[in-house]
Amino acid sequence: MEALLTSTAVVALAEIGDKTQLLAIVLATRFKRPWPIVGGIFVATLANHFLAALVGEQASAFLNGQWFRYLIAFSFIAMAAWTLIPDKFDDDDAPKPSRFGPFVATAIAFFLVEMGDKTQLATIALGARFQSVLPVMAGTTIGMMIANVPAVFLGDALIKRVPLAVVRTVAALLFLVIGLWLLAQTAGWLG
């Protein structure tokens, strides 16, 4: 349960203002059909975050050792710093008009844009931390949906009302706390 809840909170906060959330808004304004877009986001996130959590879990099983635990702790601290940097979504990044419908276009675009994104890297770190693919994947997917479904339905109005700097700061603090906690555990400072 800890893996599910932590993964949900970390990704929901990290996703706010992220380029994939901005992509959700662009797709919603382009296609004007929210439910297929939500479905595409869901399918793309399941696939992407399953693979990311699996990579994290396998890496932790293969690289099990104190130095690897330090690496995971420092990766959360680095994610804290990265979260404070606002994402931009350029027109060049916007999906081109598709011969596919909104569901397929969204699934493909989201899967590709999420590659190497901070939420994907956070999912890898969470998979390594908890060594449990399904709860991490479920939590990160729920977190992505919590952040992106309102963006699809409310679009630009949501972005204008949500103080992104505050949300980024809270997300960064969450990453920092997890990183410091892991660091303290690995160093033996906690019982």
Short mmCIF file of all heavy atoms in Angstrom, two decimals, residues 7-8 10-11 14 45-57 72 75-76 79 114 117-141 144 175:
data_model
loop_
_atom_site.label_atom_id
_atom_site.label_comp_id
_atom_site.label_asym_id
_atom_site.label_seq_id
_atom_site.Cartn_x
_atom_site.Cartn_y
_atom_site.Cartn_z
N SER A 7 3.65 6.43 -4.79
CA SER A 7 3.75 6.59 -6.24
C SER A 7 2.67 7.53 -6.77
O SER A 7 2.94 8.37 -7.63
CB SER A 7 3.65 5.23 -6.94
OG SER A 7 4.71 4.40 -6.54
N THR A 8 1.47 7.39 -6.25
CA THR A 8 0.36 8.26 -6.69
C THR A 8 0.67 9.72 -6.35
O THR A 8 0.56 10.60 -7.21
CB THR A 8 -0.96 7.84 -6.02
OG1 THR A 8 -1.26 6.49 -6.40
CG2 THR A 8 -2.11 8.74 -6.43
N VAL A 10 3.58 11.23 -5.57
CA VAL A 10 4.77 11.76 -6.23
C VAL A 10 4.47 12.14 -7.67
O VAL A 10 4.78 13.25 -8.12
CB VAL A 10 5.94 10.74 -6.15
CG1 VAL A 10 7.04 11.07 -7.14
CG2 VAL A 10 6.49 10.67 -4.75
N VAL A 11 3.84 11.26 -8.41
CA VAL A 11 3.60 11.53 -9.83
C VAL A 11 2.50 12.55 -10.04
O VAL A 11 2.61 13.41 -10.93
CB VAL A 11 3.34 10.21 -10.60
CG1 VAL A 11 2.84 10.48 -12.01
CG2 VAL A 11 4.62 9.39 -10.65
N ALA A 14 4.26 15.82 -9.44
CA ALA A 14 5.31 16.08 -10.42
C ALA A 14 4.74 16.36 -11.81
O ALA A 14 5.35 17.08 -12.60
CB ALA A 14 6.26 14.89 -10.49
N THR A 45 0.08 5.57 -20.46
CA THR A 45 0.71 5.62 -19.14
C THR A 45 0.88 4.22 -18.57
O THR A 45 1.94 3.91 -18.00
CB THR A 45 -0.12 6.50 -18.18
OG1 THR A 45 -0.22 7.81 -18.74
CG2 THR A 45 0.53 6.59 -16.81
N LEU A 46 -0.13 3.37 -18.71
CA LEU A 46 0.00 1.99 -18.24
C LEU A 46 1.21 1.32 -18.88
O LEU A 46 2.03 0.70 -18.19
CB LEU A 46 -1.25 1.18 -18.56
CG LEU A 46 -2.42 1.27 -17.61
CD1 LEU A 46 -3.60 0.44 -18.13
CD2 LEU A 46 -2.06 0.81 -16.22
N ALA A 47 1.32 1.43 -20.20
CA ALA A 47 2.42 0.76 -20.91
C ALA A 47 3.77 1.36 -20.50
O ALA A 47 4.70 0.63 -20.16
CB ALA A 47 2.21 0.88 -22.42
N ASN A 48 3.86 2.67 -20.53
CA ASN A 48 5.13 3.35 -20.24
C ASN A 48 5.57 3.11 -18.81
O ASN A 48 6.73 2.78 -18.54
CB ASN A 48 4.98 4.84 -20.54
CG ASN A 48 6.30 5.54 -20.58
OD1 ASN A 48 6.97 5.64 -19.56
ND2 ASN A 48 6.67 6.05 -21.74
N HIS A 49 4.65 3.26 -17.88
CA HIS A 49 5.02 3.14 -16.47
C HIS A 49 5.19 1.69 -16.02
O HIS A 49 5.93 1.42 -15.08
CB HIS A 49 4.02 3.90 -15.60
CG HIS A 49 4.19 5.38 -15.73
ND1 HIS A 49 3.79 6.26 -14.77
CD2 HIS A 49 4.74 6.15 -16.71
CE1 HIS A 49 4.07 7.50 -15.16
NE2 HIS A 49 4.64 7.44 -16.33
N PHE A 50 4.54 0.75 -16.71
CA PHE A 50 4.82 -0.66 -16.44
C PHE A 50 6.28 -0.95 -16.77
O PHE A 50 7.02 -1.55 -15.97
CB PHE A 50 3.90 -1.59 -17.24
CG PHE A 50 4.29 -3.04 -17.12
CD1 PHE A 50 4.02 -3.76 -15.97
CD2 PHE A 50 4.97 -3.67 -18.15
CE1 PHE A 50 4.40 -5.08 -15.84
CE2 PHE A 50 5.37 -4.99 -18.04
CZ PHE A 50 5.07 -5.71 -16.88
N LEU A 51 6.70 -0.52 -17.96
CA LEU A 51 8.08 -0.75 -18.37
C LEU A 51 9.06 -0.03 -17.44
O LEU A 51 10.09 -0.60 -17.06
CB LEU A 51 8.28 -0.29 -19.81
CG LEU A 51 7.52 -1.10 -20.87
CD1 LEU A 51 7.64 -0.45 -22.24
CD2 LEU A 51 8.00 -2.55 -20.90
N ALA A 52 8.74 1.20 -17.05
CA ALA A 52 9.63 1.96 -16.17
C ALA A 52 9.74 1.30 -14.79
O ALA A 52 10.84 1.17 -14.25
CB ALA A 52 9.13 3.39 -16.04
N ALA A 53 8.62 0.90 -14.22
CA ALA A 53 8.64 0.24 -12.91
C ALA A 53 9.39 -1.09 -12.98
O ALA A 53 10.13 -1.45 -12.06
CB ALA A 53 7.22 0.03 -12.39
N LEU A 54 9.22 -1.80 -14.09
CA LEU A 54 9.92 -3.07 -14.29
C LEU A 54 11.43 -2.85 -14.37
O LEU A 54 12.21 -3.58 -13.75
CB LEU A 54 9.41 -3.76 -15.56
CG LEU A 54 9.96 -5.15 -15.85
CD1 LEU A 54 9.58 -6.13 -14.74
CD2 LEU A 54 9.44 -5.64 -17.19
N VAL A 55 11.84 -1.82 -15.11
CA VAL A 55 13.27 -1.50 -15.20
C VAL A 55 13.81 -1.18 -13.80
O VAL A 55 14.88 -1.66 -13.41
CB VAL A 55 13.51 -0.31 -16.17
CG1 VAL A 55 14.91 0.27 -16.00
CG2 VAL A 55 13.30 -0.77 -17.61
N GLY A 56 13.07 -0.37 -13.04
CA GLY A 56 13.51 -0.03 -11.69
C GLY A 56 13.61 -1.24 -10.79
O GLY A 56 14.61 -1.41 -10.07
N GLU A 57 12.60 -2.09 -10.83
CA GLU A 57 12.62 -3.29 -9.99
C GLU A 57 13.76 -4.22 -10.38
O GLU A 57 14.49 -4.73 -9.52
CB GLU A 57 11.29 -4.04 -10.10
CG GLU A 57 11.27 -5.28 -9.21
CD GLU A 57 10.15 -6.23 -9.54
OE1 GLU A 57 10.00 -6.58 -10.72
OE2 GLU A 57 9.44 -6.62 -8.60
N ILE A 72 19.79 5.56 -5.59
CA ILE A 72 18.34 5.79 -5.62
C ILE A 72 17.99 7.02 -4.77
O ILE A 72 17.22 7.88 -5.19
CB ILE A 72 17.56 4.55 -5.13
CG1 ILE A 72 17.78 3.38 -6.08
CG2 ILE A 72 16.08 4.86 -4.98
CD1 ILE A 72 17.31 3.62 -7.49
N SER A 75 18.98 10.02 -6.59
CA SER A 75 18.12 10.26 -7.76
C SER A 75 16.84 10.99 -7.35
O SER A 75 16.35 11.86 -8.08
CB SER A 75 17.81 8.96 -8.50
OG SER A 75 16.90 8.16 -7.79
N PHE A 76 16.29 10.67 -6.19
CA PHE A 76 15.11 11.40 -5.70
C PHE A 76 15.48 12.86 -5.38
O PHE A 76 14.69 13.76 -5.67
CB PHE A 76 14.52 10.72 -4.46
CG PHE A 76 13.57 9.61 -4.78
CD1 PHE A 76 13.97 8.29 -4.68
CD2 PHE A 76 12.27 9.88 -5.18
CE1 PHE A 76 13.10 7.26 -4.99
CE2 PHE A 76 11.39 8.86 -5.48
CZ PHE A 76 11.80 7.54 -5.39
N MET A 79 15.69 14.62 -8.61
CA MET A 79 14.34 14.84 -9.13
C MET A 79 13.71 16.05 -8.45
O MET A 79 12.93 16.79 -9.06
CB MET A 79 13.46 13.60 -8.92
CG MET A 79 13.83 12.42 -9.79
SD MET A 79 13.66 12.73 -11.54
CE MET A 79 11.92 13.03 -11.65
N GLU A 114 6.44 10.87 -23.01
CA GLU A 114 6.75 10.45 -21.64
C GLU A 114 8.13 9.80 -21.53
O GLU A 114 8.70 9.72 -20.44
CB GLU A 114 5.65 9.49 -21.14
CG GLU A 114 5.77 9.08 -19.70
CD GLU A 114 5.57 10.21 -18.69
OE1 GLU A 114 5.13 11.31 -19.05
OE2 GLU A 114 5.87 9.97 -17.51
N ASP A 117 10.95 11.46 -19.52
CA ASP A 117 10.33 12.54 -18.76
C ASP A 117 10.57 12.31 -17.27
O ASP A 117 10.83 11.18 -16.83
CB ASP A 117 8.83 12.57 -19.08
CG ASP A 117 8.16 13.83 -18.62
OD1 ASP A 117 8.63 14.92 -18.97
OD2 ASP A 117 7.15 13.72 -17.88
N LYS A 118 10.43 13.38 -16.48
CA LYS A 118 10.71 13.23 -15.05
C LYS A 118 9.76 12.25 -14.37
O LYS A 118 10.16 11.56 -13.44
CB LYS A 118 10.75 14.58 -14.35
CG LYS A 118 9.47 15.33 -14.30
CD LYS A 118 9.69 16.69 -13.63
CE LYS A 118 8.58 17.61 -14.01
NZ LYS A 118 8.99 18.95 -14.28
N THR A 119 8.50 12.15 -14.83
CA THR A 119 7.59 11.18 -14.20
C THR A 119 7.98 9.75 -14.56
O THR A 119 7.82 8.85 -13.74
CB THR A 119 6.12 11.47 -14.57
OG1 THR A 119 5.99 11.60 -15.98
CG2 THR A 119 5.62 12.72 -13.89
N GLN A 120 8.53 9.54 -15.76
CA GLN A 120 9.00 8.20 -16.10
C GLN A 120 10.24 7.85 -15.26
O GLN A 120 10.34 6.74 -14.74
CB GLN A 120 9.33 8.08 -17.59
CG GLN A 120 9.71 6.65 -17.96
CD GLN A 120 10.31 6.52 -19.33
OE1 GLN A 120 11.15 7.32 -19.71
NE2 GLN A 120 9.89 5.50 -20.05
N LEU A 121 11.15 8.79 -15.13
CA LEU A 121 12.34 8.55 -14.31
C LEU A 121 11.97 8.36 -12.84
O LEU A 121 12.58 7.53 -12.14
CB LEU A 121 13.35 9.68 -14.50
CG LEU A 121 13.90 9.82 -15.92
CD1 LEU A 121 14.82 11.02 -16.02
CD2 LEU A 121 14.60 8.55 -16.37
N ALA A 122 10.98 9.11 -12.38
CA ALA A 122 10.50 8.91 -11.01
C ALA A 122 9.91 7.51 -10.85
O ALA A 122 10.10 6.86 -9.81
CB ALA A 122 9.46 9.97 -10.66
N THR A 123 9.21 7.03 -11.88
CA THR A 123 8.64 5.68 -11.83
C THR A 123 9.74 4.63 -11.75
O THR A 123 9.62 3.65 -11.01
CB THR A 123 7.72 5.44 -13.05
OG1 THR A 123 6.70 6.44 -13.06
CG2 THR A 123 7.08 4.07 -13.00
N ILE A 124 10.82 4.83 -12.50
CA ILE A 124 11.96 3.91 -12.41
C ILE A 124 12.52 3.91 -10.99
O ILE A 124 12.76 2.85 -10.40
CB ILE A 124 13.05 4.29 -13.44
CG1 ILE A 124 12.54 4.03 -14.86
CG2 ILE A 124 14.34 3.50 -13.17
CD1 ILE A 124 13.44 4.59 -15.95
N ALA A 125 12.70 5.10 -10.43
CA ALA A 125 13.24 5.21 -9.06
C ALA A 125 12.28 4.58 -8.05
O ALA A 125 12.72 3.90 -7.11
CB ALA A 125 13.51 6.66 -8.72
N LEU A 126 10.98 4.80 -8.23
CA LEU A 126 9.99 4.21 -7.31
C LEU A 126 9.98 2.68 -7.44
O LEU A 126 9.86 1.97 -6.44
CB LEU A 126 8.61 4.78 -7.59
CG LEU A 126 8.40 6.23 -7.15
CD1 LEU A 126 7.20 6.85 -7.86
CD2 LEU A 126 8.26 6.33 -5.65
N GLY A 127 10.12 2.18 -8.67
CA GLY A 127 10.20 0.73 -8.88
C GLY A 127 11.41 0.14 -8.18
O GLY A 127 11.34 -0.94 -7.58
N ALA A 128 12.54 0.87 -8.24
CA ALA A 128 13.74 0.41 -7.56
C ALA A 128 13.59 0.50 -6.05
O ALA A 128 14.01 -0.39 -5.31
CB ALA A 128 14.95 1.24 -8.01
N ARG A 129 12.96 1.57 -5.59
CA ARG A 129 12.79 1.78 -4.15
C ARG A 129 11.89 0.72 -3.53
O ARG A 129 12.20 0.13 -2.50
CB ARG A 129 12.23 3.19 -3.91
CG ARG A 129 11.59 3.44 -2.56
CD ARG A 129 12.58 3.36 -1.41
NE ARG A 129 11.99 3.66 -0.15
CZ ARG A 129 11.48 2.76 0.71
NH1 ARG A 129 11.49 1.49 0.39
NH2 ARG A 129 11.00 3.13 1.87
N PHE A 130 10.75 0.47 -4.16
CA PHE A 130 9.76 -0.44 -3.56
C PHE A 130 9.89 -1.87 -4.08
O PHE A 130 9.27 -2.77 -3.51
CB PHE A 130 8.35 0.09 -3.79
CG PHE A 130 8.06 1.34 -3.01
CD1 PHE A 130 7.93 2.56 -3.64
CD2 PHE A 130 7.94 1.30 -1.63
CE1 PHE A 130 7.68 3.72 -2.93
CE2 PHE A 130 7.68 2.45 -0.90
CZ PHE A 130 7.55 3.67 -1.55
N GLN A 131 10.64 -2.08 -5.15
CA GLN A 131 10.82 -3.41 -5.74
C GLN A 131 9.48 -4.12 -5.95
O GLN A 131 9.33 -5.29 -5.62
CB GLN A 131 11.77 -4.24 -4.90
CG GLN A 131 13.14 -3.62 -4.80
CD GLN A 131 14.09 -4.41 -3.93
OE1 GLN A 131 13.72 -5.40 -3.31
NE2 GLN A 131 15.33 -3.97 -3.86
N SER A 132 8.54 -3.37 -6.50
CA SER A 132 7.21 -3.91 -6.71
C SER A 132 6.58 -3.22 -7.92
O SER A 132 6.17 -2.06 -7.83
CB SER A 132 6.36 -3.68 -5.46
OG SER A 132 5.13 -4.31 -5.57
N VAL A 133 6.51 -3.94 -9.03
CA VAL A 133 6.09 -3.34 -10.30
C VAL A 133 4.63 -2.90 -10.29
O VAL A 133 4.32 -1.75 -10.62
CB VAL A 133 6.34 -4.31 -11.48
CG1 VAL A 133 5.75 -3.77 -12.78
CG2 VAL A 133 7.83 -4.58 -11.64
N LEU A 134 3.72 -3.79 -9.95
CA LEU A 134 2.29 -3.48 -10.10
C LEU A 134 1.79 -2.35 -9.20
O LEU A 134 1.10 -1.45 -9.68
CB LEU A 134 1.45 -4.75 -9.93
CG LEU A 134 1.67 -5.79 -11.04
CD1 LEU A 134 0.80 -7.02 -10.80
CD2 LEU A 134 1.43 -5.21 -12.42
N PRO A 135 2.13 -2.34 -7.90
CA PRO A 135 1.68 -1.20 -7.09
C PRO A 135 2.28 0.13 -7.55
O PRO A 135 1.60 1.16 -7.53
CB PRO A 135 2.13 -1.54 -5.67
CG PRO A 135 2.29 -3.01 -5.66
CD PRO A 135 2.71 -3.38 -7.05
N VAL A 136 3.54 0.12 -7.97
CA VAL A 136 4.16 1.36 -8.46
C VAL A 136 3.50 1.79 -9.75
O VAL A 136 3.14 2.97 -9.92
CB VAL A 136 5.69 1.18 -8.63
CG1 VAL A 136 6.30 2.35 -9.40
CG2 VAL A 136 6.37 1.04 -7.27
N MET A 137 3.31 0.87 -10.69
CA MET A 137 2.66 1.20 -11.95
C MET A 137 1.25 1.71 -11.72
O MET A 137 0.84 2.72 -12.31
CB MET A 137 2.60 -0.01 -12.88
CG MET A 137 1.88 0.27 -14.20
SD MET A 137 1.21 -1.18 -15.01
CE MET A 137 0.04 -1.78 -13.82
N ALA A 138 0.52 1.05 -10.84
CA ALA A 138 -0.85 1.50 -10.55
C ALA A 138 -0.84 2.88 -9.92
O ALA A 138 -1.62 3.76 -10.31
CB ALA A 138 -1.55 0.49 -9.62
N GLY A 139 0.04 3.11 -8.97
CA GLY A 139 0.11 4.41 -8.31
C GLY A 139 0.52 5.53 -9.25
O GLY A 139 -0.08 6.60 -9.25
N THR A 140 1.54 5.28 -10.06
CA THR A 140 1.98 6.33 -10.99
C THR A 140 0.93 6.60 -12.06
O THR A 140 0.76 7.74 -12.48
CB THR A 140 3.35 6.00 -11.63
OG1 THR A 140 3.26 4.77 -12.34
CG2 THR A 140 4.45 5.94 -10.59
N THR A 141 0.22 5.57 -12.47
CA THR A 141 -0.85 5.76 -13.45
C THR A 141 -1.99 6.56 -12.84
O THR A 141 -2.52 7.49 -13.48
CB THR A 141 -1.35 4.40 -13.98
OG1 THR A 141 -0.25 3.72 -14.61
CG2 THR A 141 -2.47 4.57 -14.99
N MET A 144 -0.86 10.13 -12.72
CA MET A 144 -0.94 10.77 -14.04
C MET A 144 -2.39 11.13 -14.38
O MET A 144 -2.65 12.20 -14.93
CB MET A 144 -0.39 9.84 -15.13
CG MET A 144 1.11 9.69 -15.11
SD MET A 144 2.00 11.12 -15.72
CE MET A 144 1.77 10.94 -17.47
N PHE A 175 9.83 14.89 -3.31
CA PHE A 175 10.99 14.15 -3.82
C PHE A 175 12.17 14.26 -2.85
O PHE A 175 12.86 13.28 -2.58
CB PHE A 175 11.43 14.69 -5.19
CG PHE A 175 10.62 14.15 -6.35
CD1 PHE A 175 9.94 15.02 -7.17
CD2 PHE A 175 10.57 12.80 -6.62
CE1 PHE A 175 9.21 14.55 -8.25
CE2 PHE A 175 9.85 12.31 -7.69
CZ PHE A 175 9.16 13.19 -8.51
#
